[in-house]
């Protein structure tokens, strides 16, 4: 296989990487439009009960929890490009079927579950494919770009979806989502040969038994202390953030005479903070992901602690401090997401990348499902202020644990270095 020389090339001149990013843009924005349409369909047109809305969340997210580690094995064993195209085309077909089944709730749950299942195949394959085109020294920039696309689409997609649904109806949004999956597949067809040296272990991976590959991926995470504890911290952060995001409106309602627009503005500020810092991180070399994650967990925890405290005390200037703390919370959240994803990409061999990211996606998705569901139950039982305080403190404790882990890892590195020097002496 001929490897292209990309030693001096810019990431933005890397055609394959740009095709991969463009595919992600279409897929993510289409999903954002679709999500708004689904919420409108169930929440407004069908006047779904809270339990029915919970089933919507489960049907979309549960496949990644169940199948993420397994589809990661498939993406390491077979051609990632073909798997991604298959995933896009199947999701395109599913969304077209959804248009004709909006009156059958049980069938919609099945279709959403199938959509989530093929998405659980696409994401690990995409993360593995990234290593085929992006050099290690450009990985911070590549991961930052994918994070900007991911979070940016969660702002742009629902906004565009709201306009489309209001003016043209719910079905149009589903058609558009189908079209975006088709466009995503077309860009994937344009992917060429790899531009980084091939991991020779990949040749062996294609011949290993399925469950042997599955165990290898789990063992790699378990045996790498930085990745293992980083994944735990990442999942805790996702749990707290989705819990607070879903229940933030309950906290905002505690402010007397609060305008309804404040909640939307705060959520926008959180997203903006994440996007800005993710963009800035693309220009940096992240030498210690754990230290960045420590600062991120601490910052998010303190931001939400102060939001809770100021709300409880009915502090004046609500438009100033709510938006400022929301912006800071989103900014610090980026310090958790981007460095962790970058670390995972860098330290994971290409032959294990899809399996590792399948497990990461599975656990983080589980956190995003449990967060909103458990948050509603706990707030109902103990009150919104108590749960927000506890969630904030949990993140602060996580940051302290991560700091301890970074010192342990640094000590081990120094010991190994001293042993090498002693052996040479």
């Amino acid at each position: 296989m001929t490897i292209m020389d990309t030693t001096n090339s810019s990431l933005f001149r890397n055609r394959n990487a740009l095709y991969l990013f463009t595919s992600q843009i279409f897929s993510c924005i289409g999903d954002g439009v679709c999500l708004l349409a689904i919420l409108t369909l169930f929440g407004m047109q069908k006047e779904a009960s809270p339990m029915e809305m919970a089933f919507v969340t489960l049907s979309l997210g549960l496949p990644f929890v169940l199948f993420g580690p397994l589809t990661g094995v498939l993406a390491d064993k077979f051609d990632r490009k073909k798997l991604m195209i298959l995933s896009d085309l199947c999701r395109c077909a599913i969304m077209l079927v959804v248009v004709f089944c909006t009156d059958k709730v049980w069938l919609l749950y099945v279709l959403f579950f199938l959509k989530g299942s093929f998405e659980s195949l696409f994401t690990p394959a995409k993360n593995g494919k990234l290593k085929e085109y992006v050099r290690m020294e450009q990985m911070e920039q590549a991961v930052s770009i994918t994070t900007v696309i991911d979070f940016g689409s969660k702002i742009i997609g629902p906004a565009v979806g709201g306009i489309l649904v209001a003016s043209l109806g719910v079905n149009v949004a589903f058609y558009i989502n189908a079209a975006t999956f088709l466009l995503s597949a077309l860009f994937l067809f344009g992917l060429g040969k790899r531009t980084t040296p091939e991991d020779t272990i990949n040749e062996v991976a294609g011949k290993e038994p399925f469950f042997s590959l599955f165990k290898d991926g789990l063992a790699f995470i378990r045996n790498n202390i930085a990745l293992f504890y980083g994944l735990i911290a990442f999942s805790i952060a996702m749990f707290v953030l989705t819990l607070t995001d879903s229940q933030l409106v309950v906290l905002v309602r505690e402010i007397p005479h609060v305008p309804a627009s404040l909640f939307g503005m705060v959520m926008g500020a959180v997203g903006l903070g994440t996007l800005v810092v993710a963009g800035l991180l693309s220009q940096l070399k992240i030498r210690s992901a754990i230290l960045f994650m420590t600062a991120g967990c601490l910052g998010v925890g303190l931001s939400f602690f102060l939001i809770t405290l100021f709300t409880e005390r009915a502090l004046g200037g609500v438009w100033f401090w709510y938006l400022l703390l929301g912006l800071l919370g989103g900014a610090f959240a980026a310090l958790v997401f981007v460095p962790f994803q970058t670390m995972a990409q860098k330290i994971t061999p290409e032959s294990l990348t899809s399996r590792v990211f399948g497990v990461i996606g599975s656990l983080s998705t589980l956190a995003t499902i449990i967060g909103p569901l458990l948050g509603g139950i706990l707030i109902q039982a103990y009150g919104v202020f108590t749960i927000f305080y506890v969630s904030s403190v949990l993140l602060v404790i996580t940051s302290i644990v991560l700091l301890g882990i970074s010192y342990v890892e640094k000590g081990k590195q120094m010991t190994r270095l001293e042993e090498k020097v002693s052996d040479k002496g």
Side-chain angles (χ1 to χ4, degrees):
M1 181 180 291
T2 302
I3 305 299
M4 293 174 56
D5 182 13
T6 60
T7 304
N8 298 313
S9 64
S10 164
L11 184 60
F12 291 103
R13 293 181 181 178
N14 185 331
R15 189 196 67 167
N16 289 315
L18 291 178
Y19 276 16
L20 204 57
F21 295 148
T22 305
S23 169
Q24 184 188 358
I25 289 172
F26 280 114
S27 180
C28 288
I29 290 180
D31 268 342
V33 172
C34 177
L35 180 60
L36 192 283
I38 290 173
L39 295 177
T40 302
L41 175 64
F42 277 81
M44 304 299 291
Q45 295 185 10
K46 296 185 177 299
E47 298 182 352
S49 66
M51 186 58 67
E52 288 174 325
M53 294 301 296
F55 282 143
V56 171
T57 302
L58 286 173
S59 61
L60 289 169
L62 192 59
F64 218 127
V65 177
L66 297 176
F67 306 137
L70 302 178
T71 54
V73 176
L74 292 176
D76 279 334
K77 191 174 178 67
F78 299 107
D79 188 307
R80 291 164 178 156
K81 175 182 173 179
K82 292 179 181 178
L83 291 176
M84 293 164 69
I85 292 173
L86 173 65
S87 173
D88 273 338
L89 294 179
C90 288
R91 286 185 290 171
C92 173
I94 289 168
M95 295 317 299
L96 291 176
V97 174
V98 165
V99 174
F100 301 99
C101 301
T102 54
D103 58 335
K104 299 179 179 63
V105 173
W106 68 270
L107 186 54
L108 287 176
Y109 291 143
V110 173
L111 291 171
F112 294 158
F113 187 88
L114 288 173
K115 176 180 179 291
S117 299
F118 283 107
E119 186 174 348
S120 74
L121 178 63
F122 181 95
T123 304
K126 184 257 300 181
N127 283 305
K129 201 69 177 173
L130 196 65
K131 295 196 77 164
E132 297 182 22
Y133 300 129
V134 178
R135 302 195 314 271
M136 201 59 67
E137 60 268 24
Q138 293 179 325
M139 196 56 72
E140 285 93 349
Q141 187 178 17
V143 172
S144 295
I145 290 171
T146 61
T147 302
V148 168
I149 293 171
D150 189 28
F151 282 87
S153 65
K154 291 178 181 177
I155 297 174
I156 297 172
V160 173
I163 297 172
L164 290 172
V165 169
S167 57
L168 300 175
V170 170
N171 284 348
V172 172
F174 293 139
Y175 279 126
I176 288 177
N177 192 204
T180 58
F181 284 134
L182 184 59
L183 287 170
S184 173
L186 290 176
F187 275 97
L188 293 175
F189 272 113
L191 292 177
K193 294 181 179 180
R194 63 182 305 125
T195 55
T196 61
E198 185 169 8
D199 185 351
T200 55
I201 303 177
N202 269 334
E203 299 176 4
V204 180
K207 302 174 183 178
E208 283 190 58
F210 183 89
F211 285 103
S212 176
L213 292 171
F214 176 69
K215 289 190 292 184
D216 288 345
L218 293 179
F220 179 81
I221 295 175
R222 186 178 64 250
N223 295 331
N224 191 300
I225 187 170
L227 184 59
F228 180 72
Y229 286 104
L231 175 56
I232 293 175
F234 179 74
S235 299
I236 290 174
M238 291 295 294
F239 168 78
V240 173
L241 287 170
T242 53
L243 186 156
T244 51
D245 278 355
S246 63
Q247 301 298 329
L248 187 60
V249 65
V250 180
L251 185 69
V252 171
R253 286 204 307 256
E254 297 293 326
I255 303 174
H257 313 297
V258 62
S261 57
L262 177 61
F263 172 69
M265 293 290 288
V266 174
M267 295 304 296
V270 172
L272 178 61
T274 303
L275 288 176
V276 170
V277 174
L280 293 175
L281 288 174
S282 68
Q283 308 302 318
L284 300 177
K285 291 295 181 184
I286 300 174
R287 300 191 182 280
S288 176
I290 294 296
L291 287 179
F292 272 86
M293 294 179 70
T294 299
C297 287
L298 180 62
V300 175
L302 291 177
S303 296
F304 280 102
F305 184 88
L306 290 176
I307 281 180
T308 309
L309 179 64
F310 292 167
T311 303
E312 187 178 28
R313 300 295 174 85
L315 187 68
V318 62
W319 280 97
F320 171 74
W321 57 260
Y322 239 113
L323 294 181
L324 176 61
L325 291 173
L327 187 70
L328 289 174
F332 281 111
L335 295 182
V336 179
F337 301 146
V338 176
F340 173 72
Q341 299 272 4
T342 302
M343 174 181 68
Q345 283 281 9
K346 281 188 168 184
I347 67 179
T348 305
E350 184 193 320
S351 58
L352 294 169
T353 300
S354 295
R355 274 168 280 177
V356 168
F357 275 91
V359 174
I360 291 172
S362 179
L363 289 180
S364 60
T365 303
L366 177 62
T368 61
I369 292 176
I370 294 177
L373 295 177
L374 188 59
I377 296 171
L378 293 175
I379 287 174
Q380 188 72 28
Y382 300 103
V384 65
F385 292 120
T386 300
I387 299 307
F388 266 71
Y389 280 134
V390 171
S391 299
S392 302
V393 171
L394 179 60
L395 279 176
V396 173
I397 293 173
T398 301
S399 71
I400 295 172
V401 173
L402 283 174
L403 187 62
I405 292 169
S406 70
Y407 276 111
V408 169
E409 279 292 283
K410 188 175 181 180
K412 288 182 178 180
Q413 290 174 5
M414 290 299 296
T415 301
R416 286 194 291 265
L417 181 60
E418 290 172 358
E419 289 174 350
K420 287 181 180 180
V421 172
S422 176
D423 291 341
K424 289 181 180 179

